[in-house]
């Protein structure tokens, strides 16, 4: 496990190289260390990397949850946006599912160097192995995230303030408009996995 200290990525980012995720507990648990700083604004990745911003949203009164992700390249251009309604879920599960879906999109599109960033410090710390997994469902999603890591050449994960995660948050809100489902599926009206050129388009 390597701690990243490059100025283009900033401090507080953990790079993972084909290892199990720190959110796996039990015998295979690893201690992952990273700095404690968090960015307040969105930052570009370096050339050769894709930047994933992810967000999960859960309505307190109903428990209905949605997720959103956005991928941008090293010039800050939006390459792909994604929105999905995932049914009933806690906020931590929604955040973990958002990260997992984002990594699945990376694998599907052949992006092998991914910098993932979210605004939930709890979830980022769980992935970094700096916080305990809260539930069996959280642990299941952590394991599924870990299973995706060997499919990537390189990965970094970091925390950003909500102001730096506005676009992903917008997609998560957009996901609420997707058709109701019993399990995670793509929106039937094509708002999910929507390529975007330079701007967000509500296609629902």
């Amino acid at each position: 496990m390597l701690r990243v200290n490059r100025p283009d990525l900033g401090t507080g980012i953990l790079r993972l190289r084909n290892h199990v995720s720190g959110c796996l507990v039990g015998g295979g648990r690893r201690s992952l260390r990273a700095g404690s700083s968090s960015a307040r604004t969105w930052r570009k990745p370096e050339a050769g990397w894709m930047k994933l911003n992810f967000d999960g949203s859960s309505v307190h009164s109903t428990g209905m949850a949605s997720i959103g992700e956005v991928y941008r390249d090293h010039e800050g251009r939006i390459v792909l946006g994604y929105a999905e309604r995932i049914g009933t879920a806690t906020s931590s599960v929604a955040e973990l599912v958002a990260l997992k879906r984002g990594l699945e999109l990376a694998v599907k599109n052949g992006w092998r160097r991914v910098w993932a960033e979210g605004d939930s410090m709890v979830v980022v710390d769980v992935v970094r192995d700096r916080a305990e997994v809260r539930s069996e469902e959280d642990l299941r999603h952590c394991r599924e995230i870990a299973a995706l890591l060997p499919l990537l050449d390189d990965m970094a994960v970091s925390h950003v303030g909500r102001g730096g995660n506005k676009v992903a948050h917008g997609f998560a809100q957009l996901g609420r408009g997707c058709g109701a489902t019993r399990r995670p599926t793509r929106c039937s009206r094509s708002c999910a996995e929507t390529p975007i050129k330079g701007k967000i388009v509500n296609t629902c």
Side-chain angles (χ1 to χ4, degrees):
M1 299 298 174
L2 300 177
R3 179 175 171 180
V4 174
N5 287 311
R6 290 189 290 177
D8 56 335
L9 294 182
T11 59
I13 298 170
L14 174 73
R15 175 175 292 182
L16 309 176
R17 291 185 182 273
N18 291 336
H19 291 289
V20 296
S21 172
C23 59
L24 283 177
V25 300
R29 187 170 183 174
R30 295 173 182 266
S31 178
L32 308 182
R33 302 185 182 275
S36 60
S37 62
S38 296
R40 295 183 180 179
T41 58
W42 189 86
R43 296 164 292 166
K44 295 179 183 179
E46 65 182 51
W49 285 71
M50 292 294 287
K51 178 79 172 283
L52 164 66
N53 281 87
F54 64 93
D55 192 40
S57 175
S58 180
V59 179
H60 180 71
S61 59
T62 64
M64 295 305 297
S66 57
I67 60 173
E69 297 92 36
V70 60
Y71 267 100
R72 285 175 278 201
D73 63 18
H74 67 281
E75 294 184 352
R77 294 176 299 194
I78 296 177
V79 177
L80 185 145
Y82 185 91
E84 179 182 336
R85 187 172 178 181
I86 63 171
T88 304
T90 64
S91 58
S92 62
V93 165
E95 293 281 355
L96 288 166
V97 171
L99 174 57
K100 179 179 69 175
R101 188 73 76 244
L103 296 180
E104 289 171 345
L105 289 170
V107 171
K108 178 178 178 180
N109 287 280
W111 301 325
R112 295 293 183 260
R113 303 179 77 191
V114 176
W115 174 10
E117 189 172 69
D119 60 21
S120 170
M121 181 64 86
V122 171
V123 169
V124 170
D125 280 348
V126 163
V127 174
R128 288 174 168 173
D129 199 23
R130 296 179 63 180
E132 295 295 326
V133 176
R134 292 181 172 183
S135 69
E136 286 296 322
E137 189 173 6
D138 286 3
L139 179 58
R140 176 172 64 85
H141 290 297
C142 278
R143 287 176 171 156
E144 292 172 357
I145 290 168
L148 292 167
L149 297 186
L151 303 177
L152 303 174
D153 293 336
D154 219 345
M155 179 184 168
V157 61
S158 65
H159 176 264
V160 67
R162 184 154 297 182
N165 209 41
K166 289 180 180 178
V167 179
H169 179 74
F171 273 102
Q173 299 304 306
L174 179 63
R176 291 183 182 179
C178 294
T181 60
R182 293 184 180 178
R183 58 191 177 87
T185 59
R186 290 188 174 89
C187 174
S188 60
R189 290 181 292 167
S190 74
C191 68
E193 200 171 338
T194 304
I196 297 174
K197 295 182 179 179
K199 60 181 179 179
I200 300 176
V201 179
N202 184 339
T203 57
C204 278

